[in-house]
């Protein structure tokens, strides 16, 4: 009796285990087939067979135990979500195509998101000049007055040497305009403006530098991408061959290595917090407001407007500080951040003078590299160093950079 009873129990248990294992296998198979059918037949019934995935799953049973109804419901729910999501995607594409005139809308490409130019209402005279000078709606732009005439000459001579055709000097005074014309350099001088003319004549380097955010707006409104350049830059290659054009702003960095130029995690330590003494912080060295590529997009124009407005309210502010704050600070209480995309340029191709004089000139391998541009932004003896850079990279004088200290004498 006991033996038979035990055997009966064992048999019943074995049967239950077998049934459960069959259910598990059925669920696994059903799930797999469900995904296959969802992929092959996204719109419901399996055409030609007259059954649905749910009916197929319900048909799998073990003795009198069918697949749990909760499983069927979840399967149906998943399928319904997939179907609705697919419908939503198609609906969204139908909305996007008539507006953009493209099959797909992808963030970043050059042709998307740019402003529609209105030459007549913006600046017809500038529009005619840009139509002649620009190549594929792009050009280098520099602001200059008579105080930097010698550096300006090194600047445009290096551009001519490389063979860059699309560049323009925005002359801030008549003397500079006449000088450029005498050297066969494309030049534009804006209409008289008392506030701009006063800064152009009497302002220092920072004041003049801040003018670019007022002046560049018209270039972007006319639909042109601008590679904004300070005058203390030497060109060694064509920069337009090395741009990505996937962001609103693409800028040179003041960083001196990969970490500082491209960003790094800096851990702040506060022992008073006991159990949690450290906090991770994200740091990046500022973008250089003297060399950046800016596309004619709404966020780009908003950036110019924000910086220009702040500089007009606080003329003593440094334009580079304001430029970076507006570009990087996120939205927070009391402030709506700028929704502009940005890219950091390669620090060894678009090189600042700290990288050159502290690192590159002392490294045998790095000395072999040929940068695209070198910006003498960290040193006050700009003209002398610019000429030395030309001697080193263009004329091949290997000792041309040796006489200069890493930094400045003051």
């Amino acid at each position: 009796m006991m033996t038979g009873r035990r055997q009966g129990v064992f048999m019943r248990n074995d049967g239950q285990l077998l049934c459960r294992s069959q259910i598990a296998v059925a669920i696994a198979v059903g799930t797999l087939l469900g995904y296959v059918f969802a992929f092959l037949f996204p719109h419901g019934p399996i055409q030609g067979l007259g059954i649905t995935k749910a009916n197929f799953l319900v048909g799998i049973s073990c003795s009198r135990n069918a697949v749990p109804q909760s499983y069927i419901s979840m399967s149906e729910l998943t399928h319904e979500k997939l179907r609705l999501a697919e419908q939503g995607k198609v609906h969204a594409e139908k909305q996007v195509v008539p507006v953009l005139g493209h099959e797909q809308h992808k963030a970043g490409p050059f042709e998307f998101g740019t402003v529609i130019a209105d030459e007549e209402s913006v600046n017809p005279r500038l529009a005619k000049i840009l139509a002649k000078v620009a190549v594929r709606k792009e050009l280098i732009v520099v602001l200059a007055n008579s105080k930097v005439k010698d550096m300006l000459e090194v600047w445009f001579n290096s551009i001519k040497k490389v063979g860059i055709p699309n560049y323009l000097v925005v002359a801030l005074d008549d003397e500079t305009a006449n000088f450029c014309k005498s050297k066969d350099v494309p030049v534009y001088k804006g209409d008289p403006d008392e506030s701009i003319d006063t800064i152009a004549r009497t302002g220092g380097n920072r004041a003049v530098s801040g003018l670019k955010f007022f002046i560049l707006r018209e270039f972007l409104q006319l639909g042109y991408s601008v590679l904004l350049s300070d005058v203390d830059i030497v060109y060694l290659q064509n920069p337009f061959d090395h741009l990505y054009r996937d962001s609103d702003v693409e800028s040179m960095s003041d960083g001196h290595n990969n970490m500082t130029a491209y960003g790094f995690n800096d851990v702040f330590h506060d022992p008073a917090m006991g159990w949690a003494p450290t906090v991770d912080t994200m740091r990046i060295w500022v973008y250089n407001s003297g060399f950046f590529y800016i596309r004619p997009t709404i966020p780009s124009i908003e950036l110019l407007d924000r910086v220009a407005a702040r500089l007009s309210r606080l003329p003593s502010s440094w334009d580079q500080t304001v430029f970076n704050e507006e570009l990087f600070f996120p939205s927070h209480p009391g402030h709506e951040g700028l929704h502009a995309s940005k890219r950091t340029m390669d620090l060894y191709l678009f090189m600042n003078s700290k990288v050159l004089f502290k690192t590159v000139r002392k490294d045998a391998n790095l000395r072999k590299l040929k940068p695209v541009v070198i910006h003498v932004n960290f040193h006050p003896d700009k003209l002398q160093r610019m000429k030395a850079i030309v001697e080193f990279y263009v004329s091949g004088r290997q000792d041309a950079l040796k006489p200069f200290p890493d930094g400045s004498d003051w």
Side-chain angles (χ1 to χ4, degrees), residues 22-23 26-27 29-30 33 55-62 65-67:
Q22 288 177 337
I23 291 174
I27 290 174
V29 172
L33 290 174
N55 291 335
F56 178 80
L57 291 175
V58 170
I60 301 175
S61 63
C62 175
N65 297 321
V67 176

Side-chain angles (χ1 to χ4, degrees), residues 15-36:
Q16 291 176 354
L17 289 174
L18 179 60
C19 183
R20 290 175 183 173
S21 64
Q22 288 177 337
I23 291 174
V25 171
I27 290 174
V29 172
T31 302
L32 178 61
L33 290 174
Y35 283 119
V36 172

Side-chain angles (χ1 to χ4, degrees), residues 99-397:
V99 176
L100 298 175
H102 295 276
E103 289 297 323
Q104 296 178 337
H105 180 85
K106 183 179 179 182
F110 183 82
E111 64 269 20
F112 288 120
T114 55
V115 300
I116 299 174
D118 183 4
E119 297 179 359
E120 293 302 319
S121 63
V122 177
N123 189 331
R125 186 164 65 89
L126 177 60
K128 291 179 181 178
I129 295 174
L130 296 181
K132 294 178 181 178
V133 173
V135 175
R136 292 187 293 275
K137 303 285 282 189
E138 297 178 314
L139 74 162
I140 302 169
V141 174
V142 66
L143 276 64
N145 59 17
S146 57
K147 295 181 180 180
V148 295
K149 186 173 71 172
D150 292 337
M151 281 194 292
L152 178 62
E153 187 168 15
V154 177
W155 180 87
F156 63 64
N157 281 340
S158 69
I159 285 179
K160 289 181 176 182
K161 181 74 174 178
V162 174
I164 303 169
N166 47 331
Y167 68 100
L168 180 69
V169 176
V170 175
L172 299 176
D173 52 41
D174 291 330
E175 184 179 344
T176 303
N178 294 331
F179 174 67
C180 289
K181 291 175 183 177
S182 69
K183 298 293 183 178
D184 196 25
V185 170
V187 64
Y188 164 75
K189 187 178 185 300
D191 296 328
D193 183 295
E194 184 177 349
S195 58
I196 292 179
D197 291 345
T198 300
I199 296 174
R201 288 193 309 269
T202 63
N205 288 340
R206 288 192 177 182
V208 172
S209 181
L211 284 177
K212 57 179 169 270
F213 296 97
F214 295 90
I215 295 173
L216 282 184
R217 194 185 205 279
E218 289 186 333
F219 288 78
L220 270 59
Q221 282 183 285
L222 290 168
Y224 289 85
S225 296
V226 174
L227 183 57
L228 190 282
S229 174
D230 275 355
V231 73
D232 55 344
I233 293 178
V234 175
Y235 289 75
L236 302 169
Q237 298 187 58
N238 191 330
F240 294 107
D241 295 336
H242 300 273
L243 297 175
Y244 283 80
R245 300 175 178 85
D246 63 351
S247 304
D248 295 300
V249 177
E250 197 167 339
S251 181
M252 170 185 283
S253 172
D254 271 2
H256 60 91
N257 55 26
N258 287 348
M259 286 179 58
T260 56
Y262 310 139
F264 64 101
N265 188 322
D266 187 27
V267 180
F268 176 78
H269 190 67
D270 184 3
M273 287 302 296
W275 176 77
T278 59
V279 175
D280 293 312
T281 70
M282 302 308 298
R283 297 188 62 188
I284 186 170
W285 284 31
V286 294
Y287 282 177
N288 192 292
S289 63
F291 192 86
F292 60 87
Y293 177 79
I294 186 165
R295 293 171 56 201
T297 64
I298 300 302
S300 296
I301 293 176
E302 185 180 357
L303 171 64
L304 297 180
D305 287 345
R306 288 188 180 203
V307 176
R310 285 183 58 181
L311 292 175
S312 65
R313 292 195 304 268
L314 297 170
S316 60
S317 301
W318 187 18
D319 68 278
Q320 181 159 292
T321 300
V322 177
F323 173 69
N324 279 272
E325 288 178 351
E326 292 297 338
L327 196 54
F328 281 94
F329 281 179
S331 298
H332 57 264
H335 174 74
E336 183 179 349
L338 181 71
H339 303 289
S341 57
K342 47 197 172 289
R343 168 181 283 272
T344 306
M345 292 176 171
D346 187 309
L347 81 158
Y348 290 110
L349 292 180
F350 298 91
M351 191 182 299
N352 63 59
S353 57
K354 180 175 184 176
V355 173
L356 174 63
F357 286 98
K358 287 200 70 175
T359 305
V360 171
R361 67 170 175 169
K362 301 174 183 178
D363 187 293
N365 289 323
L366 292 177
R367 283 166 62 94
K368 297 175 184 177
L369 297 176
K370 188 174 184 180
V372 177
V373 301
I374 297 177
H375 189 180
V376 188
N377 59 319
F378 276 99
H379 300 88
D381 49 344
K382 299 179 181 297
L383 181 59
Q384 293 78 11
R385 292 188 187 243
M386 288 176 73
K387 290 179 177 180
I389 289 168
V390 172
E391 286 292 311
F392 180 80
Y393 284 103
V394 179
S395 302
R397 252 191 63 203

